Amino acid sequence: MTHINSNRRRFLQYVALGTFTGAIPGFASTENRKLNQMPNSAFKPDVEIALTAQTAEVKILPGTKTRVLKYSGKLLHGPQTAIRELPGYLGPVLNFEQGQKVRLFFHNQLPEPCVTHWHGMHVPQIMDGHPMYAIEQGEQYVYEFEVKNPAGTNWYHSHTHEMTARQVYQGLAGLITITDEAERKLDLPGGEFDLPLVIQDRSFSSGNQLHYSLTMHQRMQGFLGDTILVNGQHNHVIPVKTRAYRLRILNGSNARIYKLGWSDGSPLTAIGTDGGLLEKPEIFPYIMLAPAERVELWVDFGGRKTGTELALQTLPFQGAAMGMGGGRGGGMRGGGMGMRGGAAEQGSQDTLVKFAIIEQVGDSPRLPDTLIPMQPLTVSNAANPDRVVSINIGMHRMTFNLNGRTFDMLDYTEQEKIPLNTVQKIRISNISPAMGGGMRGGRGGGGGMMGMMAQPHPIHLHGQQFRILSRRPGYADGAYATIKDGLINSGWKDTVLVMPGEEIEIIKPFMDYTGLFLYHCHNLEHEDMGMMRNFMVG
């Protein structure tokens, strides 16, 4: 609370000097704390939803209910399909259509500040959920935006400064789906055959309460739980029929990376990623899914016998634990009843969710050969082919940083100034973070403390999605070989997993909206430690 208020005081000093008043939307009116408290009468919504962040008690494990933070939703105006409740602690699924105008009345009933980020949505800065707009208990923030995204799967979650990890861990997250005309023409599985799967790892005390207490090791690696939950449920089994399904999978964990694979060794068919549908279905032996990443799978249960089960697992891999030593631990604990020995390391194997075949049916849609035409986006489209924007992952005094700096609410450098309506080439480097914050050593593993602190970072950029141009792995050992065939490099993304020693080039549009847009590590413990920065678009 103190840190947020100090940032507000600093902000008001800037406004008084006239530094930001004209540059960032809404800044002039923030001083009187009435920013977006009331709806804009000129905005004519197609959908209106009341969304409240509050405390609640829900049934997760057998026995005592668990205290959580929860988004509750109520449809005020629009089609009944716009909101769908899920059992458990997760917020309702919000179902939008491209072109709709959406108004969300966000009420904070928590005894602490909160702000909501619409992850993956292309919206104005003032609607994006920047932590500078956090509201206090009893206050309201009105989000209004037009849905410009194509069909796909996004999500929403808390983005409160230095509280994001804990608030999301305690339940403040929910899924967003978007449809459009091009998707409807594909006749993909819908209704009961379109399944959301939000995967999270949690730890519980002996009294079934969420356990979240960070040691230094957990701060450095991110909090890893010992119990897998899917859609807020433990040991989740989903009944299915012998036909095709569409699975919308979100890694909603704070820090855990999943290597998705079927229990019978079948390949996975991806039809979409963070930014929407792919140009055509792609087949993978497994799929890597870092925190905040989404993937849409086509799975056909046809040909399987009634009474059988198929499990979606996370498979073992290396290179995700500090010191490049992941993948040697055992599985996560199935009971979830207390901290018996702690959580499994990154890269451990476990079952995520089971599908039970309960009914034979004869009709099923066919997997399309092609999906959505994709706008070409190459280096030739970039406004800065010779002046690449750099995002260098570093470390200083046991804290990860970006470009040698940690988060300051309104701060940005000259390099972080992005001209509006341009396409930018960006290079993200995770090459041997040094204790001094710079990029030392060669492209090898790096020895001593630098090597021990090398770990993956899922880097998320707010605003429009981007395309991956290239990956350059850095480590020559076998760790990268255990994950490389599961990296989806096509389609639109808003989060990319950057492995130790790796360098990734992306190309990203910055269209339509001015102001401060965040980029940060989506390992939420790293974000809260300051591994976050602003782009100033204008």
Side-chain angles (χ1 to χ4, degrees):
M1 182 83 68
T2 302
H3 190 69
I4 292 175
N5 288 337
S6 68
N7 273 294
R8 282 202 179 113
R9 286 195 295 272
R10 180 182 174 190
F11 157 68
L12 294 178
Q13 293 171 358
Y14 285 137
V15 171
L17 294 172
T19 307
F20 291 99
T21 304
I24 300 180
F27 267 23
S29 56
T30 303
E31 184 173 0
N32 58 22
R33 293 187 46 78
K34 292 183 180 178
L35 182 66
N36 277 39
Q37 287 190 347
M38 300 298 293
N40 178 2
S41 59
F43 185 85
K44 305 300 181 185
D46 303 299
V47 179
E48 282 188 307
I49 293 172
L51 196 69
T52 302
Q54 59 193 21
T55 59
E57 291 188 350
V58 300
K59 193 83 167 179
I60 301 177
L61 302 176
T64 307
K65 289 184 176 181
T66 304
R67 293 185 296 273
V68 298
L69 306 182
K70 179 178 173 60
Y71 286 115
S72 63
K74 181 180 179 182
L75 180 65
L76 305 177
H77 168 71
Q80 294 298 311
T81 55
I83 187 168
R84 173 189 167 193
E85 295 290 342
L86 289 177
Y89 60 81
L90 287 169
V93 179
L94 306 180
N95 301 307
F96 299 144
E97 296 184 20
Q98 187 181 54
Q100 278 182 333
K101 292 186 176 180
V102 175
R103 174 180 289 152
L104 295 126
F105 294 92
F106 173 56
H107 303 273
N108 180 19
Q109 296 300 329
L110 304 176
E112 59 191 33
C114 191
V115 64
T116 299
H117 168 50
W118 312 99
H119 187 121
M121 301 295 288
H122 179 39
V123 299
Q125 177 223 259
I126 203 169
M127 305 299 173
D128 187 50
H130 193 288
M132 75 174 102
Y133 298 125
I135 59 174
E136 307 291 340
Q137 184 178 24
E139 293 184 334
Q140 169 179 278
Y141 196 100
V142 182
Y143 295 94
E144 296 170 328
F145 53 83
E146 179 181 345
V147 178
K148 294 192 173 184
N149 294 62
T153 305
N154 297 300
W155 64 306
Y156 61 98
H157 59 82
S158 164
H159 216 302
T160 316
H161 184 41
E162 296 180 338
M163 300 180 183
T164 297
R166 179 176 55 79
Q167 289 186 344
V168 173
Y169 183 85
Q170 290 181 290
L172 289 186
L175 210 61
I176 300 172
T177 74
I178 300 169
T179 187
D180 60 18
E181 189 59 35
E183 180 198 55
R184 285 190 284 268
K185 291 179 180 177
L186 293 173
D187 192 29
L188 297 175
E192 64 175 297
F193 309 112
D194 185 347
L195 300 178
L197 298 177
V198 181
I199 305 172
Q200 299 171 308
D201 61 330
R202 297 291 185 261
S203 291
F204 294 87
S205 70
S206 57
N208 283 358
Q209 301 310 307
L210 288 168
H211 176 87
Y212 186 77
S213 178
L214 295 178
T215 65
M216 177 54 71
H217 181 269
Q218 289 166 327
R219 288 180 185 275
M220 296 306 299
Q221 183 161 280
F223 190 90
L224 302 176
D226 63 1
T227 303
I228 292 290
L229 303 177
V230 172
N231 294 344
Q233 300 175 69
H234 181 228
N235 288 335
H236 195 27
V237 180
I238 300 176
V240 294
K241 303 174 183 178
T242 54
R243 55 152 290 153
Y245 283 73
R246 177 182 187 175
L247 306 184
R248 301 174 185 261
I249 305 177
L250 160 68
N251 182 348
S253 297
N254 280 32
R256 189 173 295 280
I257 300 165
Y258 300 101
K259 180 178 179 178
L260 304 179
W262 293 115
S263 55
D264 66 353
S266 299
L268 292 86
T269 301
I271 60 172
T273 185
D274 301 348
L277 295 173
L278 296 168
E279 283 191 297
K280 60 182 180 180
E282 298 186 25
I283 309 298
F284 295 87
Y286 55 85
I287 290 175
M288 302 303 301
L289 203 67
E293 286 188 304
R294 287 87 70 204
V295 66
E296 296 192 24
L297 300 182
W298 175 288
V299 54
D300 194 338
F301 297 102
R304 299 182 181 273
K305 295 180 179 180
T306 303
T308 62
E309 289 184 340
L310 179 67
L312 185 63
Q313 299 180 323
T314 180
L315 305 175
F317 63 95
Q318 297 178 1
M322 288 191 293
M324 297 293 289
R328 298 186 178 90
M332 274 165 263
R333 304 199 175 269
M337 300 297 288
M339 296 293 291
R340 299 185 298 271
E345 289 292 326
Q346 288 274 29
S348 299
Q349 181 168 347
D350 207 336
T351 294
L352 303 175
V353 60
K354 293 179 180 178
F355 298 89
I357 316 300
I358 62 165
E359 184 180 346
Q360 294 282 338
V361 295
D363 60 323
S364 179
R366 175 183 170 274
L367 176 64
D369 294 325
T370 60
L371 296 166
I372 299 297
M374 202 162 289
Q375 170 194 354
L377 199 61
T378 65
V379 176
S380 63
N381 300 110
N384 63 331
D386 301 319
R387 184 179 173 270
V388 177
V389 176
S390 295
I391 300 177
N392 295 324
I393 296 167
M395 172 174 282
H396 181 65
R397 295 180 179 176
M398 299 298 288
T399 299
F400 290 107
N401 60 55
L402 298 172
N403 295 327
R405 293 173 177 260
T406 52
F407 184 61
D408 192 339
M409 190 72 75
L410 306 174
D411 183 47
Y412 58 92
T413 65
E414 188 66 27
Q415 181 194 254
E416 292 166 330
K417 296 166 83 172
I418 306 293
L420 178 64
N421 294 330
T422 62
V423 175
Q424 298 285 319
K425 183 180 177 183
I426 300 173
R427 181 179 298 121
I428 309 172
S429 298
N430 187 13
I431 302 175
S432 297
M435 295 303 291
M439 293 189 32
R440 299 178 186 170
R443 296 189 55 79
M449 185 61 72
M450 289 188 297
M452 286 299 294
M453 292 304 170
Q455 60 178 293
H457 295 280
I459 301 299
H460 169 51
L461 286 76
H462 286 219
Q464 285 173 281
Q465 278 91 1
F466 53 81
R467 302 279 289 276
I468 296 173
L469 293 174
S470 65
R471 286 183 180 265
R472 287 189 1 184
Y475 288 101
D477 61 18
Y480 196 80
T482 68
I483 63 98
K484 67 181 181 65
D485 292 332
L487 299 169
I488 302 179
N489 296 315
S490 53
W492 291 97
K493 300 279 294 172
D494 57 52
T495 307
V496 62
L497 177 61
V498 191
M499 295 298 290
E502 194 168 37
E503 190 172 80
I504 298 176
E505 289 192 344
I506 66 173
I507 188 163
K508 174 177 165 60
F510 291 84
M511 303 295 178
D512 303 323
Y513 303 125
T514 61
L516 293 177
F517 288 89
L518 297 167
Y519 65 98
H520 59 88
C521 181
H522 221 286
N523 179 318
L524 296 184
E525 281 69 40
H526 292 175
E527 175 187 324
D528 280 354
M529 290 173 68
M531 195 176 176
M532 179 163 65
R533 295 290 303 161
N534 290 304
F535 283 128
M536 166 57 89
V537 182

